[in-house]
Amino acid sequence: MHLTQIKIDARLLSELAREHRLPISTADAGYRMHVGLTSVFGDAAPKPFWIRDTDGQHADVLGYADQDKKGLQGAAQMHASSLAYEMCEWNRLHCKPMPGADVLEDQALSFKLRACPIVRKGSAGQGTNLDGETVKWRAGERMDAFLSQALSSGDDITRSEAYASWLRRQFDVRDGGAEIQSVSLEAFNLKEVTRRAQGTTMKQQTKPMVLLSGRLQVREPEDFLSILFSGLGQHKSFGCGMMLIRPA
């Protein structure tokens, strides 16, 4: 697996989005980038990915990919249209191999994670929100992890505490791999995102987006790498769920 850094031409990405009949005024950046990367690389597209920076002319995208630089360019040559291929600045494509399980054994790591902390309610129920109002939910309904915990417990809880619990559960339900030792909520916002509902129908939804940082201890390197490379939380194909690591 490789950590990949790609420079994307923003003007050509917008042109590609129009070609795919995306509503430019409402389609969020994550959705547009998902369409762009898939149009270039096909199944080899980096995922999860993180739109790290954009200056209006270029977007700087990080992602985890199976292929190295040569493999990614080869996949693009086979898959991409001429417009999609030109969207990438190939002289500014960078890749590095990620450390293997033998290197990560018992390592202490610092991390940053951009995620959409959504949970699915296992059963129908009701609770009381911060305004004292009764809120009901259906079995299978998706909900902000903070609202879910606040409604279910009835206790005062901060977003930072709720999202830290959510992150720990992401590892616990997938055979562990690492012990989350500390978590800080660096940023939170509610973001309008666009997704295809049925066929070509586009639907706007409001989702919580967070930037978390902290420290973890690798316990089971193979399991940890599996979680790292598959991403955490919802909307991993649309710019969420990528955890960046470095030695603590």
Side-chain angles (χ1 to χ4, degrees), residues 7-20:
K7 285 285 187 181
I8 300 293
D9 185 297
R11 180 183 63 82
L12 293 180
L13 177 60
S14 294
E15 190 174 335
L16 185 71
R18 284 191 292 270
E19 189 176 272
H20 283 261

Side-chain angles (χ1 to χ4, degrees), residues 164-224:
S165 295
W166 169 84
L167 179 58
R168 290 186 171 95
R169 286 197 302 274
Q170 297 301 301
F171 281 88
D172 291 344
V173 299
R174 294 165 68 181
D175 299 321
E179 176 189 348
I180 305 297
Q181 297 179 328
S182 65
V183 184
S184 295
L185 175 61
E186 292 195 10
F188 162 80
N189 70 304
L190 293 173
K191 186 173 182 179
E192 293 288 332
V193 300
T194 305
R195 301 291 180 263
R196 291 196 186 278
Q198 294 180 347
T200 58
T201 302
M202 304 297 289
K203 182 180 180 180
Q204 280 194 291
Q205 306 167 5
T206 302
K207 299 294 183 183
M209 298 292 175
V210 298
L211 177 60
L212 304 176
S213 64
R215 178 185 171 108
L216 60 81
Q217 185 82 29
V218 178
R219 299 303 186 196
E220 298 292 340
E222 294 286 355
D223 292 335
F224 173 70

Side-chain angles (χ1 to χ4, degrees), residues 90-198:
W90 295 105
N91 63 331
R92 301 174 75 180
L93 170 64
H94 305 287
C95 293
K96 79 154 191 174
M98 291 295 291
D102 55 334
V103 176
L104 289 173
E105 186 80 40
D106 293 323
Q107 281 287 325
L109 301 173
S110 296
F111 68 84
K112 284 187 178 291
L113 169 68
R114 183 176 185 269
C116 179
I118 293 290
V119 299
R120 186 192 292 271
K121 304 298 286 187
S123 59
Q126 67 180 41
T128 304
N129 67 15
L130 297 176
D131 296 323
E133 301 167 333
T134 298
V135 177
K136 297 181 179 181
W137 60 83
R138 303 179 305 276
E141 184 172 342
R142 297 179 186 272
M143 187 180 294
D144 181 332
F146 163 68
L147 295 178
S148 175
Q149 192 166 343
L151 290 171
S152 298
S153 68
D155 298 329
D156 289 337
I157 186 170
T158 66
R159 285 191 181 274
S160 182
E161 292 168 338
Y163 296 142
S165 295
W166 169 84
L167 179 58
R168 290 186 171 95
R169 286 197 302 274
Q170 297 301 301
F171 281 88
D172 291 344
V173 299
R174 294 165 68 181
D175 299 321
E179 176 189 348
I180 305 297
Q181 297 179 328
S182 65
V183 184
S184 295
L185 175 61
E186 292 195 10
F188 162 80
N189 70 304
L190 293 173
K191 186 173 182 179
E192 293 288 332
V193 300
T194 305
R195 301 291 180 263
R196 291 196 186 278
Q198 294 180 347

Side-chain angles (χ1 to χ4, degrees), residues 19-67:
E19 189 176 272
H20 283 261
R21 299 184 178 181
L22 295 184
I24 302 300
S25 60
T26 57
D28 59 283
Y31 194 99
R32 292 197 302 270
M33 191 59 70
H34 161 72
V35 170
L37 293 176
T38 304
S39 297
V40 176
F41 300 108
D43 291 340
K47 189 182 88 170
F49 66 86
W50 186 329
I51 305 173
R52 192 170 64 168
D53 190 28
T54 179
D55 59 8
Q57 295 182 324
H58 302 90
D60 186 23
V61 182
L62 298 177
Y64 290 128
D66 291 326
Q67 305 281 354

